[in-house]
Amino acid sequence: MILAFQLLLRDVPLPPLAKIFVVLAGTIAVLMPVYRYAVRPTVIGAVLNGRRYPLRPLPLAVATP
């Protein structure tokens, strides 16, 4: 994945340090959802992470009077 992003940015006129951050952000943006939805709920996720816990919905803010 990192190599693919580096090849895409090969001819882009950015400083090397900027390319590093773009490659890092792009890689994280692609791989985090893949891990969350394609790896974690599978057997591979159970082997890597141990026991699977049910997903909890995000808490809603409740206004108090």
Side-chain angles (χ1 to χ4, degrees):
M1 183 62 59
I2 292 172
L3 182 61
F5 277 113
Q6 288 176 341
L7 289 174
L8 286 172
L9 294 176
R10 176 180 50 203
D11 297 327
V12 176
L14 286 175
L17 192 59
K19 286 183 183 183
I20 289 172
F21 288 116
V22 170
V23 168
L24 180 64
T27 302
I28 289 172
V30 170
L31 292 182
M32 289 297 285
V34 168
Y35 171 75
R36 173 73 172 92
Y37 295 109
V39 174
R40 192 164 184 204
T42 65
V43 174
I44 297 169
V47 170
L48 291 174
N49 299 316
R51 180 174 166 228
R52 287 185 275 169
Y53 297 96
L55 293 176
R56 289 182 281 158
L58 294 175
L60 298 174
V62 178
T64 57

